[in-house]
Structure formats: structure tokens, C-alpha cells
Amino acid sequence: MLQLPKSPPMRKLVPESEAYEICRQITAKYAKTFYLATLLMPEQKRRAIWAIYFWCRRTDELVDGPQARLTTPETLDRWEQQLESVFAGQPIEDADVALVDTLQRFPMDIQPFRDMIAGQRMDLFRSRYETFEELQLYCYRVAGTVGLMTSPVLGFDLDWSQTPWNSKFGTNPVEEAIALGIAKQLTNILRDVGEDAQRGRIYLPLDELALFNYTEEDLFKGVVDERWQELMRFQIQRARKFYTYAEKGIGALSRDARWPVWAATMLYQGILDVIERNNYDVFTQRAYVSKGRKLLYLPVAWLRAQAL
């Protein structure tokens, strides 16, 4: 991610079709599991999701990308100004063209996008979180916001929400969409413990490390022992609770969105299963769901989309 231009470029930007293709290629390259799920959506919706994903990725790379060392608070200020320009219908970069079109087709609030930038500001200044309450705010900003961004694209089934058996349980699809984003971020954190440690970052709450008598020094050394295994079991259990809560809202989505969301949810949960099979070693083994297992999830996700 290069540093942001201080003024709009003079060159002519690409047409919408090319802008969407840029977003598709980036999504396919860097988010293979997520991309597979988007292919189950109608074309207009999946293109919109690609545009949102690419904006989120560009935002993340300001702090975590190759040029992150050059990022300053002023960089994020300029990025937020560019966001405001996009919401005003004035794209500055090629990929912005797709997001502008997406916003016209699926009107949405700018605040979740601003909140995600606020999450990157946290990454700019923080590398530790004392408690889960602090971490949860971070997870909301960098991932829970994605649920808010994508909800207008996915859409909701009003008939489903008005049925007595769904009203009875007090389902709140928006809160559950946020919970799904948090669950996925917690999964990312557990998968990437080793990589984050190499950058001097610890996203596991420090008070919970202390609870299991596991130290920062142990983590940086990649110690996998009974203490670490118990700590990881605790973290995985929490992530699964967020998934369980989030799953209640999938049935409230539009019918053409349920299958891809179930698929994405199950594929991400599969990462937790792999961490367990790897005996919680996230330092020397990267947890990923194999292509064959991904394909096995799809029919099960389809059945859940029909029945739940």
C-alpha cells in the first residue's frame, strides 16, 4: 500500500467493470476462503462485497502492509478524507470507482468505515491489550464493522423476522452480524499468534495470559506446553460462543445470502478445528482449511441455509 495521494490524481480512472475486476482479483488472491463464499452470491452482491473487502484490505495495509512503517496519524486522516470523497460520489483511485458504484446500489452508513479506520489508529499506537473488554473494542472496529458494512448488501428477509418463533427468541440480525465479524477476528488472532509475535504484537489479553501462568517471554519463544494448550482452549471456546450467537442471525438474511454466509462461517470455524488438530501449535504450523475440506463444507452449508 503506497502512501496516499494528497490531492486527487489528474488521470482518468478506470470504468466500473475494471474497478470491480481489480477488487475481485485482490479478494481471490488474499482471502481465498472468503472469496469462495462470495462466489455463491448473485453477481451484483458478490461484486459489492469484493469492493468492500478491497477497501477494508487497503485500510488494514496502512498499518500492516509493506509500507506500514511510513504510516502516520496524518496518513489515516488523509485516508478518512478519501473515504468521505468516495461517499460523496467522487472516487480518487481506481478501486474507489467500484465502491462508489456499490454505495449507489446499496446505500450504507459511513460510520462503520470510520470505525474501522479508528481500529487502525489503535494498531498504530498499541501492541498489547490488558483485558478482553479492550480487545473486543478493537475487534469490533477492525472486523465487527464489516458486518455493518455488508448487511445492506446481503439484505434481510422481513417475512422471517416477523414470524412468531423468530420474534420469540429476540434475534437481532445487526448485533449478530457484528458478532460474526468479531468471531472471525478472534479466529484470525489465534491463527496468527506466531506471526504477530514476530512483529512484537500480542493480541491475547495479558490478564488471561497471567491467569494461565503463561508469560510474554513464553509467547515470544513459541512455548507450547500444558499452560499454552489450556489458554488456547479457553480462547477457542470464547470464539465459538461468538459464532454460536452470530449463527442465530443468518436465517434473517435474504435467501440468496444465507448459503454464502453459512459457508464463510463454517470455513472460518474450520480454522479453529485445525488449530486443535495441530495441538495448538500456532508458532510453527499455520492453521488453514484444505481445499478438499472446504468443498465438503459447501453442501452442509447449503442444507443449513435451507433449514435454519
Side-chain angles (χ1 to χ4, degrees):
M1 182 73 189
L2 300 177
Q3 289 297 287
L4 305 174
K6 294 184 179 180
S7 59
M10 298 302 294
R11 68 178 179 82
K12 183 179 179 179
L13 299 178
V14 300
E16 290 169 5
S17 59
E18 291 186 33
Y20 277 116
E21 177 59 16
I22 292 170
C23 297
R24 185 199 69 79
Q25 290 179 6
I26 293 297
T27 308
K29 181 176 181 180
Y30 293 103
K32 293 181 175 60
T33 296
F34 178 72
Y35 178 70
L36 177 62
T38 66
L39 295 179
L40 305 176
M41 297 179 181
E43 181 179 4
Q44 193 174 98
K45 288 190 175 184
R46 67 172 175 254
R47 295 204 317 165
I49 296 297
W50 295 337
I52 294 171
Y53 170 81
F54 191 24
W55 183 87
C56 293
R57 179 167 183 83
R58 288 190 291 164
T59 303
D60 180 71
E61 284 200 342
L62 288 172
V63 175
D64 281 336
Q67 303 295 320
R69 68 185 185 282
L70 302 177
T71 297
T72 65
E74 291 71 29
T75 306
L76 296 177
D77 290 342
R78 292 199 299 274
W79 185 238
E80 190 160 359
Q81 291 168 8
Q82 182 166 332
L83 171 68
E84 292 168 357
S85 179
V86 167
F87 267 79
Q90 300 171 354
I92 293 177
E93 300 180 30
D94 286 339
D96 294 341
V97 174
L99 188 54
V100 166
D101 184 64
T102 290
L103 292 171
Q104 292 172 348
R105 295 174 184 272
F106 304 97
M108 57 190 73
D109 189 355
I110 194 175
Q111 192 57 47
F113 293 81
R114 286 179 170 150
D115 287 345
M116 178 170 282
I117 295 173
Q120 305 310 316
R121 293 185 193 278
M122 294 173 75
D123 259 340
L124 203 58
F125 296 108
R126 298 191 65 169
S127 60
R128 304 287 192 279
Y129 292 87
E130 291 293 334
T131 66
F132 179 70
E133 286 70 25
E134 293 180 4
L135 180 65
Q136 187 171 356
L137 174 61
Y138 170 78
C139 289
Y140 159 73
R141 286 178 171 172
V142 300
T145 50
V146 178
L148 298 178
M149 295 173 191
T150 57
S151 289
V153 177
L154 300 176
F156 293 106
D157 183 348
L158 296 180
D159 291 337
W160 184 92
S161 64
Q162 292 169 1
T163 54
W165 52 87
N166 290 316
S167 301
K168 177 181 177 181
F169 292 106
T171 299
N172 186 334
V174 173
E175 289 298 320
E176 287 145 9
I178 293 172
L180 182 55
I182 292 175
K184 290 180 178 180
Q185 183 63 25
L186 292 175
T187 301
N188 288 339
I189 287 172
L190 298 180
R191 180 195 62 194
D192 298 338
V193 167
E195 294 178 15
D196 289 330
Q198 292 176 6
R199 295 181 295 174
R201 294 183 180 178
I202 298 177
Y203 288 102
L204 300 179
L206 297 184
D207 64 347
E208 294 176 1
L209 264 69
L211 181 64
F212 290 90
N213 197 30
Y214 193 87
T215 68
E216 291 188 33
E217 183 179 2
D218 291 328
L219 190 146
F220 286 127
K221 289 181 178 178
V223 175
V224 177
D225 57 13
E226 186 174 347
R227 296 170 303 155
W228 174 252
Q229 291 165 350
E230 288 298 322
L231 172 61
M232 287 293 283
R233 289 189 190 100
F234 178 79
Q235 302 297 327
I236 288 174
Q237 183 181 38
R238 172 191 287 140
R240 285 183 171 143
K241 286 181 179 178
F242 274 92
Y243 280 117
T244 299
Y245 177 69
E247 287 172 359
K248 296 190 300 180
I250 299 178
L253 296 174
S254 298
R255 290 188 176 276
D256 60 10
R258 295 175 197 169
W259 186 19
V261 174
W262 266 116
T265 300
M266 293 179 65
L267 289 166
Y268 250 87
Q269 286 176 303
I271 295 173
L272 299 178
D273 297 335
V274 175
I275 292 174
E276 291 174 328
R277 287 199 297 272
N278 290 344
N279 200 31
Y280 308 100
D281 181 1
V282 289
F283 299 103
T284 64
Q285 302 181 73
R286 181 172 177 81
Y288 69 94
V289 179
S290 67
K291 183 177 293 186
R293 190 169 290 275
K294 287 178 182 178
L295 294 177
L296 289 175
Y297 282 132
L298 296 183
V300 179
W302 183 84
L303 289 171
R304 290 187 176 184
Q306 310 310 309
L308 300 178

